[in-house]
Coordinates of all heavy atoms in Angstrom, one line a residue:
M967 N -56.0 -9.7 7.4 CA -54.7 -10.3 7.5 C -53.9 -9.4 8.4 O -54.0 -8.1 8.3 CB -54.0 -10.5 6.2 CG -53.4 -11.8 6.0 SD -53.2 -12.3 4.4 CE -51.6 -11.9 4.0
D968 N -53.1 -10.0 9.3 CA -52.2 -9.2 10.1 C -51.1 -8.6 9.4 O -50.6 -9.2 8.4 CB -51.7 -10.1 11.2 CG -51.1 -9.4 12.4 OD1 -51.3 -8.1 12.5 OD2 -50.5 -10.0 13.2
W969 N -50.6 -7.4 9.7 CA -49.5 -6.7 9.1 C -48.2 -7.5 9.2 O -47.3 -7.4 8.3 CB -49.3 -5.3 9.5 CG -49.0 -5.1 10.9 CD1 -49.8 -5.0 12.0 CD2 -47.6 -5.0 11.4 NE1 -49.1 -5.0 13.1 CE2 -47.8 -4.9 12.8 CE3 -46.4 -5.0 10.8 CZ2 -46.7 -4.8 13.7 CZ3 -45.3 -4.9 11.7 CH2 -45.4 -4.8 13.1
T970 N -48.0 -8.2 10.2 CA -46.7 -9.0 10.4 C -46.7 -10.1 9.3 O -45.6 -10.4 8.9 CB -46.6 -9.5 11.8 OG1 -47.8 -10.3 12.1 CG2 -46.4 -8.4 12.8
K971 N -47.8 -10.7 9.1 CA -47.9 -11.8 8.1 C -47.5 -11.2 6.7 O -46.8 -11.9 5.9 CB -49.3 -12.4 8.0 CG -49.6 -13.3 9.2 CD -50.9 -13.9 9.1 CE -51.3 -14.7 10.3 NZ -52.6 -15.3 10.2
I972 N -47.9 -10.0 6.4 CA -47.6 -9.4 5.1 C -46.1 -9.1 5.0 O -45.4 -9.3 4.0 CB -48.4 -8.1 4.9 CG1 -49.9 -8.5 4.7 CG2 -47.9 -7.3 3.7 CD1 -50.8 -7.3 4.8
L973 N -45.5 -8.6 6.2 CA -44.1 -8.4 6.2 C -43.3 -9.6 6.1 O -42.3 -9.7 5.4 CB -43.8 -7.6 7.5 CG -44.2 -6.2 7.5 CD1 -43.8 -5.6 8.9 CD2 -43.5 -5.3 6.4
W974 N -43.7 -10.7 6.7 CA -43.0 -12.0 6.6 C -43.1 -12.5 5.2 O -42.1 -13.0 4.6 CB -43.6 -13.0 7.5 CG -43.0 -12.9 8.9 CD1 -43.7 -12.5 10.0 CD2 -41.7 -13.2 9.3 NE1 -42.8 -12.5 11.1 CE2 -41.6 -12.9 10.7 CE3 -40.6 -13.6 8.7 CZ2 -40.4 -13.1 11.4 CZ3 -39.3 -13.7 9.3 CH2 -39.3 -13.5 10.7
A975 N -44.2 -12.3 4.5 CA -44.4 -12.8 3.1 C -43.5 -12.0 2.2 O -42.8 -12.6 1.3 CB -45.9 -12.7 2.7
L976 N -43.4 -10.7 2.4 CA -42.5 -9.9 1.6 C -41.0 -10.2 1.9 O -40.2 -10.3 0.9 CB -42.7 -8.4 1.9 CG -44.0 -7.8 1.4 CD1 -44.2 -6.4 1.9 CD2 -44.1 -7.8 -0.1
A977 N -40.7 -10.5 3.1 CA -39.3 -10.8 3.4 C -38.9 -12.2 2.8 O -37.8 -12.4 2.2 CB -39.1 -10.9 4.9
L978 N -39.8 -13.1 2.9 CA -39.6 -14.4 2.3 C -39.5 -14.4 0.8 O -38.6 -15.0 0.1 CB -40.8 -15.4 2.7 CG -40.6 -16.9 2.2 CD1 -39.4 -17.5 2.7 CD2 -41.8 -17.6 2.5
G979 N -40.3 -13.6 0.1 CA -40.3 -13.4 -1.3 C -39.0 -12.7 -1.7 O -38.3 -13.1 -2.7
A980 N -38.5 -11.7 -0.9 CA -37.3 -11.1 -1.3 C -36.1 -12.0 -1.1 O -35.2 -12.0 -1.9 CB -37.1 -9.8 -0.4
M981 N -36.1 -12.8 -0.1 CA -35.0 -13.8 0.1 C -34.9 -14.8 -1.0 O -33.9 -15.1 -1.5 CB -35.2 -14.6 1.4 CG -34.1 -15.5 1.7 SD -34.3 -16.3 3.3 CE -35.6 -17.4 2.9
I982 N -36.1 -15.2 -1.5 CA -36.1 -16.2 -2.6 C -35.6 -15.5 -3.8 O -34.8 -16.1 -4.6 CB -37.5 -16.7 -2.8 CG1 -37.9 -17.7 -1.7 CG2 -37.6 -17.5 -4.2 CD1 -39.3 -18.2 -1.7
L983 N -36.0 -14.3 -4.1 CA -35.6 -13.6 -5.3 C -34.0 -13.3 -5.3 O -33.4 -13.4 -6.3 CB -36.3 -12.3 -5.5 CG -37.7 -12.4 -6.0 CD1 -38.5 -11.1 -5.9 CD2 -37.8 -13.0 -7.4
L984 N -33.5 -13.0 -4.1 CA -32.1 -12.7 -4.0 C -31.2 -14.0 -4.0 O -30.1 -13.9 -4.5 CB -31.8 -12.0 -2.7 CG -32.4 -10.5 -2.6 CD1 -32.2 -9.9 -1.3 CD2 -31.7 -9.7 -3.7
L985 N -31.7 -15.1 -3.5 CA -30.9 -16.3 -3.5 C -31.1 -17.2 -4.7 O -30.2 -18.1 -5.0 CB -31.3 -17.1 -2.2 CG -30.9 -16.5 -0.9 CD1 -31.3 -17.3 0.2 CD2 -29.4 -16.2 -0.9
W986 N -32.0 -17.0 -5.6 CA -32.3 -17.8 -6.7 C -31.1 -17.8 -7.7 O -30.7 -18.9 -8.1 CB -33.6 -17.4 -7.4 CG -33.9 -18.3 -8.6 CD1 -33.7 -17.9 -9.9 CD2 -34.4 -19.5 -8.5 NE1 -34.1 -19.0 -10.7 CE2 -34.6 -20.0 -9.8 CE3 -34.8 -20.4 -7.5 CZ2 -35.0 -21.3 -10.1 CZ3 -35.3 -21.6 -7.8 CH2 -35.4 -22.1 -9.1
P987 N -30.5 -16.7 -8.1 CA -29.3 -16.7 -9.0 C -28.2 -17.5 -8.5 O -27.6 -18.2 -9.2 CB -29.0 -15.3 -9.2 CG -30.2 -14.5 -8.8 CD -30.9 -15.3 -7.7
Q988 N -27.9 -17.3 -7.1 CA -26.8 -18.1 -6.5 C -27.1 -19.6 -6.6 O -26.2 -20.4 -6.9 CB -26.6 -17.6 -5.1 CG -25.5 -18.2 -4.4 CD -24.1 -17.8 -4.9 OE1 -24.0 -16.9 -5.7 NE2 -23.1 -18.5 -4.4
A989 N -28.3 -20.0 -6.3 CA -28.7 -21.4 -6.3 C -28.5 -22.0 -7.7 O -28.1 -23.1 -7.9 CB -30.0 -21.6 -5.7
K990 N -29.0 -21.2 -8.6 CA -28.9 -21.7 -10.1 C -27.5 -21.9 -10.4 O -27.1 -22.8 -11.2 CB -29.6 -20.6 -10.9 CG -29.9 -21.1 -12.3 CD -30.7 -20.0 -13.0 CE -30.9 -20.4 -14.5 NZ -31.7 -19.4 -15.1
R991 N -26.6 -21.0 -10.1 CA -25.2 -21.0 -10.4 C -24.5 -22.3 -9.8 O -23.8 -23.0 -10.3 CB -24.4 -19.8 -10.0 CG -23.0 -19.8 -10.4 CD -22.2 -18.6 -9.9 NE -22.2 -18.7 -8.4 CZ -21.3 -19.4 -7.7 NH1 -20.4 -20.2 -8.3 NH2 -21.4 -19.4 -6.4
M992 N -24.9 -22.5 -8.5 CA -24.3 -23.6 -7.7 C -24.7 -24.9 -8.4 O -23.9 -25.9 -8.5 CB -24.8 -23.6 -6.3 CG -24.1 -22.5 -5.4 SD -24.9 -22.3 -3.8 CE -24.7 -23.9 -3.1
L993 N -26.0 -25.1 -8.8 CA -26.5 -26.3 -9.5 C -25.8 -26.5 -10.8 O -25.4 -27.6 -11.2 CB -28.0 -26.3 -9.7 CG -28.8 -26.5 -8.3 CD1 -30.2 -26.3 -8.7 CD2 -28.5 -27.8 -7.8
A994 N -25.5 -25.4 -11.5 CA -24.8 -25.6 -12.8 C -23.4 -25.9 -12.7 O -22.8 -26.7 -13.5 CB -24.9 -24.2 -13.6
E995 N -22.7 -25.5 -11.6 CA -21.3 -25.7 -11.5 C -21.0 -27.0 -10.7 O -19.8 -27.4 -10.6 CB -20.6 -24.6 -10.8 CG -20.6 -23.3 -11.7 CD -19.9 -22.1 -11.0 OE1 -19.4 -22.3 -9.9 OE2 -20.0 -21.0 -11.6
S996 N -22.0 -27.6 -10.1 CA -21.7 -28.8 -9.2 C -21.4 -30.1 -10.1 O -21.9 -30.1 -11.3 CB -22.9 -29.1 -8.3 OG -24.0 -29.5 -9.1
R997 N -20.7 -31.0 -9.6 CA -20.3 -32.2 -10.3 C -21.5 -33.2 -10.2 O -22.3 -33.2 -9.3 CB -19.1 -32.8 -9.9 CG -19.1 -33.3 -8.5 CD -17.8 -34.0 -8.1 NE -17.8 -34.6 -6.8 CZ -18.3 -35.8 -6.5 NH1 -18.7 -36.6 -7.5 NH2 -18.3 -36.3 -5.2
K998 N -21.6 -34.0 -11.2 CA -22.6 -35.1 -11.2 C -22.2 -36.2 -10.2 O -21.1 -36.5 -10.0 CB -22.8 -35.7 -12.6 CG -23.2 -34.7 -13.6 CD -24.5 -34.1 -13.3 CE -25.0 -33.0 -14.3 NZ -26.1 -32.3 -14.0
A999 N -23.3 -36.8 -9.6 CA -23.0 -37.9 -8.6 C -22.7 -39.1 -9.3 O -23.3 -39.4 -10.4 CB -24.2 -38.0 -7.7
E1000 N -21.8 -39.9 -8.8 CA -21.5 -41.2 -9.3 C -22.4 -42.2 -8.8 O -22.9 -42.1 -7.7 CB -20.0 -41.6 -9.1 CG -19.1 -40.6 -9.8 CD -17.6 -40.9 -9.5 OE1 -17.3 -41.9 -8.9 OE2 -16.8 -40.1 -9.8
P1001 N -22.6 -43.4 -9.5 CA -23.6 -44.4 -9.0 C -23.3 -44.9 -7.6 O -24.2 -45.2 -6.8 CB -23.4 -45.5 -10.0 CG -22.9 -44.9 -11.2 CD -22.1 -43.8 -10.8
G1002 N -22.1 -45.0 -7.2 CA -21.7 -45.6 -5.8 C -22.0 -44.6 -4.7 O -22.2 -44.9 -3.5
E1003 N -22.2 -43.3 -5.0 CA -22.4 -42.3 -4.0 C -23.8 -42.3 -3.5 O -24.0 -41.8 -2.3 CB -22.0 -40.9 -4.5 CG -20.5 -40.8 -4.9 CD -20.2 -39.4 -5.5 OE1 -21.1 -38.8 -6.1 OE2 -19.0 -39.1 -5.4
W1004 N -24.7 -42.7 -4.3 CA -26.1 -42.7 -3.8 C -26.4 -43.7 -2.6 O -27.3 -43.4 -1.8 CB -27.1 -43.1 -4.9 CG -27.1 -41.9 -5.9 CD1 -26.6 -41.7 -7.1 CD2 -27.8 -40.6 -5.6 NE1 -26.9 -40.6 -7.6 CE2 -27.6 -39.8 -6.8 CE3 -28.4 -40.0 -4.5 CZ2 -28.1 -38.5 -6.9 CZ3 -29.0 -38.7 -4.6 CH2 -28.7 -38.0 -5.8
A1005 N -25.6 -44.8 -2.5 CA -25.8 -45.7 -1.5 C -25.5 -45.0 -0.2 O -26.0 -45.3 0.9 CB -25.0 -47.0 -1.7
G1006 N -24.5 -44.2 -0.2 CA -24.0 -43.4 1.0 C -25.1 -42.5 1.5 O -25.1 -42.0 2.7
V1007 N -26.0 -42.1 0.6 CA -27.1 -41.2 1.0 C -28.4 -41.9 1.5 O -29.0 -41.7 2.5 CB -27.5 -40.2 -0.1 CG1 -28.7 -39.4 0.2 CG2 -26.3 -39.3 -0.4
I1008 N -28.7 -43.0 0.7 CA -29.9 -43.7 0.9 C -29.9 -44.5 2.2 O -30.9 -44.6 3.0 CB -30.2 -44.6 -0.3 CG1 -30.5 -43.7 -1.5 CG2 -31.4 -45.6 0.0 CD1 -30.7 -44.5 -2.8
L1009 N -28.7 -45.1 2.5 CA -28.6 -46.0 3.7 C -28.9 -45.2 5.0 O -29.7 -45.7 5.8 CB -27.2 -46.7 3.8 CG -27.0 -47.5 5.0 CD1 -28.0 -48.7 4.9 CD2 -25.6 -48.0 5.0
P1010 N -28.3 -44.0 5.3 CA -28.6 -43.3 6.5 C -30.1 -42.8 6.5 O -30.8 -42.8 7.5 CB -27.7 -42.1 6.5 CG -26.5 -42.5 5.6 CD -27.2 -43.4 4.6
L1011 N -30.6 -42.4 5.3 CA -32.0 -42.0 5.3 C -33.0 -43.2 5.7 O -34.0 -43.0 6.4 CB -32.4 -41.4 3.9 CG -31.8 -40.1 3.6 CD1 -32.1 -39.7 2.2 CD2 -32.4 -39.0 4.6
A1012 N -32.7 -44.4 5.1 CA -33.4 -45.5 5.5 C -33.4 -45.9 6.9 O -34.4 -46.2 7.5 CB -33.0 -46.7 4.6
L1013 N -32.2 -45.8 7.5 CA -32.0 -46.0 8.9 C -32.8 -45.1 9.8 O -33.5 -45.4 10.8 CB -30.5 -46.0 9.3 CG -29.7 -47.2 8.8 CD1 -28.2 -46.9 9.1 CD2 -30.2 -48.5 9.3
V1014 N -32.8 -43.8 9.5 CA -33.6 -42.8 10.2 C -35.0 -43.1 10.1 O -35.8 -43.0 11.1 CB -33.2 -41.4 9.7 CG1 -34.1 -40.4 10.3 CG2 -31.8 -41.1 10.2
A1015 N -35.5 -43.4 8.8 CA -37.0 -43.7 8.6 C -37.4 -44.9 9.4 O -38.4 -44.9 10.0 CB -37.2 -43.8 7.2
G1016 N -36.5 -45.9 9.5 CA -36.8 -47.1 10.3 C -36.9 -46.8 11.8 O -37.8 -47.3 12.4
L1017 N -36.0 -46.0 12.2 CA -36.0 -45.6 13.6 C -37.3 -44.8 14.0 O -37.9 -45.1 15.0 CB -34.8 -44.8 14.0 CG -34.7 -44.3 15.4 CD1 -34.6 -45.4 16.4 CD2 -33.5 -43.3 15.6
V1018 N -37.6 -43.9 13.1 CA -38.9 -43.1 13.4 C -40.1 -44.0 13.4 O -41.0 -43.9 14.2 CB -39.0 -42.0 12.3 CG1 -40.4 -41.3 12.4 CG2 -37.9 -41.0 12.6
A1019 N -40.1 -45.0 12.5 CA -41.2 -45.9 12.4 C -41.3 -46.8 13.7 O -42.4 -47.0 14.2 CB -41.1 -46.8 11.2
V1020 N -40.1 -47.2 14.2 CA -40.1 -48.0 15.4 C -40.6 -47.1 16.6 O -41.4 -47.6 17.4 CB -38.7 -48.6 15.6 CG1 -38.6 -49.1 17.1 CG2 -38.4 -49.7 14.6
L1021 N -40.2 -45.9 16.7 CA -40.6 -45.0 17.8 C -42.1 -44.7 17.7 O -42.7 -44.7 18.7 CB -39.8 -43.8 17.7 CG -38.3 -43.8 18.0 CD1 -37.6 -42.5 17.8 CD2 -38.1 -44.3 19.5
V1022 N -42.6 -44.6 16.5 CA -44.0 -44.3 16.4 C -44.8 -45.5 16.8 O -45.8 -45.4 17.5 CB -44.4 -43.9 14.9 CG1 -45.9 -44.0 14.7 CG2 -43.9 -42.5 14.6
L1023 N -44.4 -46.7 16.5 CA -45.1 -47.9 16.9 C -44.9 -48.2 18.4 O -45.9 -48.7 19.0 CB -44.5 -49.2 16.1 CG -44.8 -49.3 14.7 CD1 -44.0 -50.4 14.0 CD2 -46.3 -49.4 14.4
L1024 N -43.9 -47.7 19.0 CA -43.7 -47.9 20.5 C -44.6 -47.0 21.3 O -45.0 -47.3 22.4 CB -42.2 -47.7 20.9 CG -41.3 -48.8 20.5 CD1 -39.9 -48.4 20.8 CD2 -41.6 -50.1 21.2
V1025 N -44.9 -45.8 20.7 CA -45.7 -44.8 21.3 C -47.2 -45.2 21.3 O -48.0 -44.9 22.2 CB -45.5 -43.4 20.7 CG1 -46.5 -42.5 21.3 CG2 -44.1 -42.9 21.0
R1026 N -47.7 -45.9 20.3 CA -49.0 -46.3 20.1 C -49.4 -47.2 21.3 O -49.6 -47.7 22.1 CB -49.2 -47.0 18.9 CG -49.3 -46.1 17.7 CD -49.6 -46.9 16.5 NE -50.1 -46.0 15.4 CZ -50.6 -46.4 14.3 NH1 -50.9 -47.7 14.1 NH2 -50.9 -45.6 13.4

């Protein structure tokens, strides 16, 4: 294994360890989503997925 891969793995592990408490606190303090808010997330995701599917079909 190359020494740069080991350094990248150590850096990634350190970043996860340092950011984990902050992410845990943010999830605990965030408010719960209301039922109507999910439509505002799902609609743009569905549109992007549809556009990607159309582009893939056009390239074939």
Side-chain angles (χ1 to χ4, degrees):
M967 227 155 94
D968 194 11
W969 63 273
T970 56
K971 290 181 182 179
I972 295 171
L973 287 178
W974 277 112
L976 289 173
L978 183 62
M981 184 179 71
I982 290 171
L983 287 175
L984 290 173
L985 293 178
W986 183 257
Q988 181 71 8
K990 192 174 177 181
R991 185 188 62 81
M992 287 171 56
L993 287 174
E995 294 179 3
S996 66
R997 67 177 181 87
K998 300 295 179 192
E1000 296 178 11
E1003 293 175 338
W1004 286 109
V1007 173
I1008 293 174
L1009 181 62
L1011 288 175
L1013 290 174
V1014 169
L1017 177 65
V1018 170
V1020 167
L1021 291 174
V1022 167
L1023 288 174
L1024 288 174
V1025 171
R1026 284 184 167 194

